[in-house]
């Protein structure tokens, strides 16, 4: 693969009076994974990489972030960053989430592992495996029993996921975590006590692939049944209630992300599209339920959209077509494709965004919408079925 295939400049006209120039470059390829990359999580200056062999590796981002802030002396130069294995598990990792003082990982075997930093972040120490034995015992002692039938003639405690845990989402306050699974259930956990607080047994009609938690208290789930659902605890209620069903995709929905400060929901699906959703009820003011409407459909991928990452007005989509597309939300919810990052040898399975301002302290989602001279950079991390992670510098000017 020639270096030029991983670098380019795209100029897009946004309106008759303004334009945006986007420069992108692959600044590092992180190799060494023996299995495909299944999850990414950015925690400060660290990038955690999970793979299907159950390993979690740490890649220091401080070197890469320094490269983002510097002008490249060669348009084809790439850096090398060493990694270390910080945890080894006995089950393939499906998802990673950073908690501030550690990580949470979900697994093929239906469990969730909670990790804390140890050795100055050089390794992860296992804090607990969810559900804990104490949580299972508590569930069984509840009035009416704590068993649910998971298949014919087989029952498990309701706190268990009985299939792969596909995604995790932390509440903005860090007090709660939500997990979803191929078993079609949505579970809410209290992180301080590591307890399962609630389980919605049949949240969807098919496997659930993604979950995100919004600042206004809504929780969104996406499923192979082709729908996205919104949930929340209404005033005076302790249980999650279904408040909205979004149907726009014509195939299984694989990924979700929140942008625009949590006001815009993005969904990516096997129909090769990304749909942007916004609340028509006024951002849930006064605790009202959302009424989500589709405001845009982003097309361009040649195959299924598998993952999403968003920050501010920028959303990135990773696809089975081996590319990452970088989109920006403009005025009147109009979207522009800023870049197509092409360099992976396999489907892009996971994405993460890190801020790395060059000219300001924001990413290319900059938030300085009135400035025409701002030039901002973001670090886009993409993980693929080719077992590599690529770090891309994406710089946008003229926004």
């Amino acid at each position: 693969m020639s270096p030029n295939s991983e670098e380019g400049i795209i100029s897009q006209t946004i309106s008759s009076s303004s334009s945006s120039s986007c420069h992108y470059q692959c600044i590092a390829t992180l190799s060494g994974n023996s299995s495909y990359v299944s999850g990414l999580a950015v925690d400060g200056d660290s990038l955690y990489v999970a793979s299907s062999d159950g390993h979690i590796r740490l890649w220091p981002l401080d070197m890469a972030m320094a490269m983002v802030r510097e002008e490249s002396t060669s348009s084809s130069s790439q850096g090398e960053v060493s990694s270390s294995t910080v945890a080894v598990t006995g089950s393939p990792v499906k998802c990673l989430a950073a908690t501030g003082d550690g990580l949470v990982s979900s697994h093929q075997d239906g469990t969730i592992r909670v990790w804390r930093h140890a050795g100055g972040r050089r390794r992860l120490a296992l804090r607990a495996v969810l559900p804990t034995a104490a949580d299972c015992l508590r569930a069984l002692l509840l009035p009416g029993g704590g068993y649910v039938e998971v298949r014919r003639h087989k029952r498990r405690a309701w706190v268990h996921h009985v299939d792969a845990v596909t995604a995790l989402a932390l509440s903005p306050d860090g007090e709660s975590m939500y997990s979803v699974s191929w078993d079609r259930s949505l579970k809410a956990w209290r992180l301080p006590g590591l307890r399962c607080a609630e389980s919605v047994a049949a949240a969807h009609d098919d496997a659930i692939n993604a979950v995100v938690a919004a600042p206004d208290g809504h929780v969104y789930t996406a499923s192979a049944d082709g729908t996205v659902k919104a949930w929340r605890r209404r005033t005076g209620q302790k249980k999650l209630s279904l408040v909205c069903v979004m149907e726009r995709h014509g195939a299984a929905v694989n990924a979700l992300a929140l942008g625009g400060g949590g006001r815009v929901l993005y969904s990516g699906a096997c129909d090769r599209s990304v749909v942007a959703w916004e609340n028509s009820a006024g951002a849930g003011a006064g605790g009202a339920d959302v009424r989500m409407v589709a405001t845009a459909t982003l097309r361009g991928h040649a195959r299924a959209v598998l993952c999403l990452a968003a920050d501010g007005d920028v959303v990135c989509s990773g696809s089975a077509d081996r590319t990452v597309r970088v989109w920006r939300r403009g005025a009147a919810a109009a979207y522009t494709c800023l870049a197509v990052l092409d360099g992976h040898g396999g489907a892009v399975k996971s994405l993460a965004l890190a801020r790395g301002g060059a000219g300001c302290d924001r990413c290319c989602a900059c938030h300085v919408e009135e400035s025409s001279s701002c030039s901002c950079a973001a670090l886009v991390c993409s993980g693929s079925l080719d077992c590599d992670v690529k770090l891309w510098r994406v710089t946008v000017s003229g926004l």
Side-chain angles (χ1 to χ4, degrees), residues 8 18 25 35 77 85 90 111 127 138 142 191 225:
S18 65
Q25 181 182 8
S35 300
S77 62
T85 299
T111 63
R127 180 184 172 193
R138 179 186 63 85
L142 288 175
L191 278 186
D225 65 12

Side-chain angles (χ1 to χ4, degrees), residues 181-352:
S181 169
W182 286 342
D183 66 9
R184 301 182 299 146
S185 70
L186 163 66
K187 296 187 187 298
W189 306 80
R190 294 193 184 100
L191 278 186
L194 301 178
R195 293 174 55 182
C196 185
E198 181 182 357
S199 179
V200 182
H204 282 267
D205 295 331
D206 206 336
I208 307 178
N209 297 321
V211 60
V212 291
D216 64 3
H218 286 86
V219 178
Y220 299 95
T221 56
S223 169
D225 65 12
T227 68
V228 178
K229 293 185 177 182
W231 310 80
R232 73 168 296 162
R233 292 185 180 90
R234 293 190 172 99
T235 303
Q237 295 184 350
K238 296 182 178 180
K239 299 294 185 180
L240 289 168
S241 298
L242 177 64
V243 298
C244 182
V245 179
M246 292 156 268
E247 296 180 272
R248 181 68 174 261
H249 290 288
V253 186
N254 300 317
L256 294 173
L258 286 167
R263 300 184 305 274
V264 184
L265 175 70
Y266 298 99
S267 58
C270 286
D271 61 6
R272 303 174 293 174
S273 72
V274 177
V275 175
W277 307 85
E278 298 190 35
N279 182 18
S280 64
D289 295 340
V290 294
R291 293 196 300 272
M292 303 296 285
V293 296
T295 57
T297 300
L298 315 182
R299 302 189 186 277
H301 283 294
R303 299 185 67 182
V305 176
L306 302 178
C307 52
L308 296 169
D311 191 359
D313 289 334
V314 169
V315 58
C316 298
S317 55
S319 169
D321 66 11
R322 306 181 181 185
T323 69
V324 177
R325 285 182 174 259
V326 182
W327 313 82
R328 177 176 168 86
R329 182 180 184 273
Y335 285 83
T336 302
C337 181
L338 298 177
V340 181
L341 312 182
D342 185 4
H344 278 292
V348 180
K349 192 73 170 61
S350 50
L351 286 171

Side-chain angles (χ1 to χ4, degrees), residues 100-125:
D101 59 354
L103 286 180
V104 183
S105 58
S106 68
H107 295 264
Q108 182 78 34
D109 63 5
T111 63
I112 300 168
R113 288 169 170 81
V114 183
W115 308 87
R116 59 177 175 82
H117 293 303
R121 292 185 178 238
R122 291 188 299 271
R123 65 183 180 88
L124 293 173

Side-chain angles (χ1 to χ4, degrees), residues 33 56 68 133 219 226 250 256 357:
N33 296 294
I56 301 175
V68 168
V219 178
L256 294 173

Side-chain angles (χ1 to χ4, degrees), residues 351-373:
L351 286 171
L353 283 173
R355 296 178 184 271
C360 71
D361 60 354
R362 301 283 188 176
C363 69
C364 58
C366 183
H367 304 284
V368 188
E369 297 182 5
E370 299 301 322
S371 172
S372 61
S373 60

